[in-house]
Amino acid sequence: MIKNILKTAFNNFQAFFVTWVIIIIVNQLFIFGACFAPYCVVAALPHTFVIAVLINYFLNDEESNEPQKLVKPESDNQLKFTQVENNIEENDFEETEIPFCPKCGSAMVLRTAKNGQYAGNKFWGCSKYPNCKGLLNI
């Protein structure tokens, strides 16, 4: 959850930064009694940062960040936007560590066997193939 919140702030950095500056100014005016001395501003940074991150996250929720596609209606000449259907589930991907080649130490690449008795099976192959033929079965 925290990872998603920070990711949203990073992806919308300009909006987040403007929000943070506005919150600091409002905070200094109303909470700290118009104190803009450096020690007052520094004291306000942590909690105003958290507030700005949360506001940015809830204003830019995931539904509004999905790509939209342009659809031209048949009846009139106005263009309308509709949401693109995203059939990818959150659990469709799993995090994997990329192993290193047992022969040369290079990073390995996930590959699928195309020929032979193992056709269709996945395996880790060396990224320096054909110079190195190291592989790991899954």
Side-chain angles (χ1 to χ4, degrees):
M1 178 75 173
I2 293 173
K3 191 177 185 181
N4 291 339
I5 292 172
L6 293 175
K7 188 176 181 182
T8 303
F10 184 73
N11 289 341
N12 302 305
F13 182 77
Q14 187 175 10
F16 159 73
F17 189 74
V18 169
T19 305
W20 192 19
V21 169
I22 292 170
I23 291 172
I24 288 174
I25 292 170
V26 169
N27 182 65
Q28 295 308 106
L29 288 174
F30 296 108
I31 306 293
F32 284 97
C35 178
F36 287 95
Y39 62 91
C40 289
V41 175
V42 169
L45 291 179
H47 67 274
T48 56
F49 175 82
V50 171
I51 293 168
V53 166
L54 291 175
I55 287 174
N56 188 44
Y57 177 73
F58 288 113
L59 290 179
N60 297 310
D61 58 72
E62 293 177 19
E63 295 172 359
S64 65
N65 290 334
E66 290 183 11
Q68 296 181 340
K69 86 177 169 181
L70 187 61
V71 177
K72 186 173 182 181
E74 298 172 8
S75 60
D76 54 318
N77 293 332
Q78 293 181 342
L79 300 177
K80 294 183 181 178
F81 288 95
T82 59
Q83 291 286 63
V84 175
E85 289 185 27
N86 190 356
N87 296 331
I88 298 174
E89 297 285 328
E90 186 173 322
N91 298 329
D92 283 350
F93 300 100
E94 62 182 54
E95 293 184 25
T96 58
E97 273 191 43
I98 298 175
F100 294 100
C101 179
K103 290 187 175 184
C104 70
S106 299
M108 300 193 82
V109 178
L110 188 60
R111 301 180 190 270
T112 304
K114 295 178 184 169
N115 300 321
Q117 67 182 17
Y118 299 108
N121 292 345
K122 295 192 179 290
F123 67 95
W124 289 101
C126 183
S127 61
K128 295 195 175 184
Y129 179 84
N131 294 334
C132 177
K133 293 185 170 62
L135 64 92
L136 293 172
N137 291 323
I138 297 179

